[in-house]
Amino acid sequence: MNDYLARRDAEWMGRLYHWLGLSVGIIQHGLDDDQRRAAYACDITYATNNELGFDYLRDNMKWDLAEFTQRGFKYAIVDEVDSILIDEARTPLIIAGSSEEDTSKYFRIDSVIPKLRKDVDFKVDEKDRQVMLTDEGIRHAEELLGVPNLYDPGAIEMLHGVNQALLAHNLYKLDVEYMVKEKEDGRGMEVVIVDEFTGRLMPGRRWSNGLHQAIEAKEGVEVNAENQTLATVTFQNFFRMYEKLGGMTGTAETEAAELHQIYKLDVVVVPTNMPMVRKDYADVVYATAKGKKKAVIEEIKELHAKGQPILVGTASIESSEMVSESLKAAGVPHVVLNAKHHEKEAEIIAQAGRKGAVTIATNMAGRGTDIVLGGNPEGLARLEAKKKGIELYDDQGMETPEFAVLVAEMSRQTEAEKPVVIAAGGLHILGTERNESRRIDNQLRGRAGRQGDPGSSRFYLSLEDDLMRVFGGDRMKSLMGTLGLNDDEPIESRMVANAIEKSQKRVETQHFEIRKHLLEYDDVMNKQRIFFYNLRTEILKGNTKDYVQQISSEIAEGLVFDYLPEKGERDVEGFKERVEQLFAQHGEAVDGIGALATGEASATLQALVKDVYLDKEARLGNEDILRWHERVAILQVIDSAWKRHLLVMDHLKEAIGFRGYGQKDPLIEYKRESFEYFEQMRFGYEDEIVSYLYRVEPQPAYAPDEDFFREPQNVYELGPDEQGALVNVDSGEGVQRVLRFNVGGVDDEDDGPSGWKG
């Protein structure tokens, strides 16, 4: 799930693996290629899903097999499998490069958004997370931006920018979906996405399609140019490459159907090690958020006073900090665990089970770390060791004697505290709102009642919570009004519980449809991606000669059937012209082919182009030179073509939805058109490769004229420090060192010689 868990598990289990004679590697953010290669070469490698996916994409952009870091896809065990294979699978992994675009337009568009009126100029649909301009809004936006027609092809980018800016202002909130924090290099601020499922920050990840730029403009930070996709893959298609795939989690049962449908994985429920004795109380619903907040603080104060540890679950950074402020005002000591403090996660969770501890957490809530009643002795010992500067492990990965003493000391302390905490009722989970997925609520509940420990859980809701408001609020509000309940009076009812569950099921279905939709479209691209990456790998392995001869033969055959068909009109001149363009061949040999029957013409041209290429190889005298040219030319051409193809596919995906208005299935249309584009791209780059390689010729060694090195006459004085003809020139494509020399007389004017050439 994250770098911390990968590192922790590799350390814990590594001691056992090393003893068994196995090597263990860890992939962490910030490693270089050599370190990654060494880690992947180990018997067992620990890594996060993002690092694995990005390494796969990066490897397939390299120019040498020796630079690849990964070594095939054999066996993957996925921890927190529901989160990685389901929650994270809604967003594909993308490696992008900057495009040359003017980013000032984002600020220009952002300045007019506050002037557009909600419900008059635009409508917000929170359920489907969309914002739509009305006819009135289109006119108003055109007036504000000074654009005569937003739907003119020339203004389509401006329209797209307005739509994304409306989304940024109305559906993306600071400290909920994203944070603004200082860049790692300290040079200004940046927008960092917050993972909606775990509450963790995702540095380096950006929303696509101009949304990230719109949010940067909204927050007044530097806007980075919209990126163009260079490589992309979904987690579904990445993990399906492994020959064997499995995983574990405490909350996969509700997703069994999806895991089987997408990954062909069966879900097996393993009974708990000890009987489950946690008490799960019914939800308490209040009419307003104010009433709910008051009840939450009262319950925390009451439980804290009797020494019961409490884990408060919140759905966002914003709400975790609001609860924290209220507890400060009430004088309740507590710690906050959210994306702002994620590096302290293990330390905070180690103490969350201590007597009277109050821990406020977003969904991250220490996944993969047990909350031990009385406190976690090893976790507490680590904290103490850090303070005292004590080493934890020696060179063999074994505990140092000093650390072992600390662990024993903390064990005595936590063992003494454990019965007190158990007597108080164990860990209490207090949810401040329901999440969009039942599974995430179950994950929060599952923090308590571990290994037969006592514990309890209760969720506090209000009709103003996002889930209730968007997916079932009106009916519920009218019910509360009918019952005449005020802010401080809760309602506990089976009907309310059913309504909440239905709302969550609707959101889960919606999210499943998004993932399925993403996968259906990526399945089309996946076949093309596998074809392209396999071709690249073959070229890197050195199989270039066979490839060039194969495509040359296919192109020659295609030319004959196109220009010299068995039946119909023959275009002999056009045929000769294309042979000249592609194979640099003309004269009698080609002229004679035009008069032959189609089959014979095809065989003759194929034999000719093969002989010409073999003759070129012989004339070069060194086969390796031509192999090098082949490799460089093929990789340059196909990489450039693939990059253009991905851009075309991005645009096609955006526009294809409109085919639905014409009673056509957008997915079928996408499959058909993407295949056509792919074939066009393939034929295009094959022609380009052949055209280049058939023109590569050995050249005599360059021997410059002796006069070339004579002192230039009439040298133009360039400045006080630099007199001479060797100058720096900015050609618009970067500064180059250029030799300038005079080929004419001297001008009478003051601006120097007239005949200067570069």
Side-chain angles (χ1 to χ4, degrees), residues 616-732:
K616 183 194 297 288
E617 189 175 85
R619 279 186 287 114
L620 276 168
N622 184 343
E623 202 179 304
D624 291 342
I625 294 173
L626 189 55
R627 297 294 87 84
W628 182 87
H629 269 287
E630 286 167 354
R631 189 163 73 93
V632 170
I634 294 167
L635 288 177
Q636 274 190 338
V637 170
I638 67 174
D639 282 353
S640 178
W642 180 246
K643 183 176 154 186
R644 288 194 302 270
H645 181 66
L646 288 175
L647 184 63
V648 169
M649 290 297 98
D650 282 347
H651 290 316
L652 178 62
K653 208 179 292 180
E654 273 180 47
I656 205 77
F658 292 115
R659 304 290 171 87
Y661 294 118
Q663 307 302 309
K664 290 179 179 176
D665 183 337
L667 180 62
I668 291 170
E669 290 291 296
Y670 179 76
K671 284 179 179 175
R672 184 179 58 77
E673 290 207 21
S674 68
F675 176 74
E676 287 173 10
Y677 281 128
F678 185 74
E679 288 295 281
Q680 283 173 17
M681 172 195 74
R682 194 165 67 84
F683 295 148
Y685 72 62
E686 286 176 355
D687 284 359
E688 206 174 326
I689 289 165
V690 166
S691 175
Y692 171 81
L693 289 173
Y694 271 79
R695 281 176 169 73
V696 170
E697 287 294 340
Q699 297 293 324
Y702 174 62
D705 195 323
E706 282 182 20
D707 290 342
F708 186 82
F709 291 109
R710 283 187 187 159
E711 280 295 310
Q713 300 302 305
N714 301 324
V715 171
Y716 182 35
E717 193 165 314
L718 297 160
D721 303 322
E722 191 173 13
Q723 182 174 342
L726 204 56
V727 297
N728 287 326
V729 173
D730 190 348
S731 63

Side-chain angles (χ1 to χ4, degrees), residues 64 96 155 305 308 402 544 593:
D64 191 335
Q308 187 170 5
E402 297 87 349
T544 53
I593 294 172

Side-chain angles (χ1 to χ4, degrees), residues 307 309 349-357 371-377 380 410-422 426-427 453:
I349 289 298
Q351 306 194 61
R354 302 195 73 180
K355 182 186 170 188
I371 296 175
V372 182
L373 298 187
N376 183 323
L380 295 170
M410 292 301 166
S411 293
R412 286 192 293 274
Q413 190 180 317
T414 55
E415 284 304 314
E417 205 171 294
K418 187 172 182 177
V420 180
V421 172
I422 288 173
L427 180 68
D453 284 340

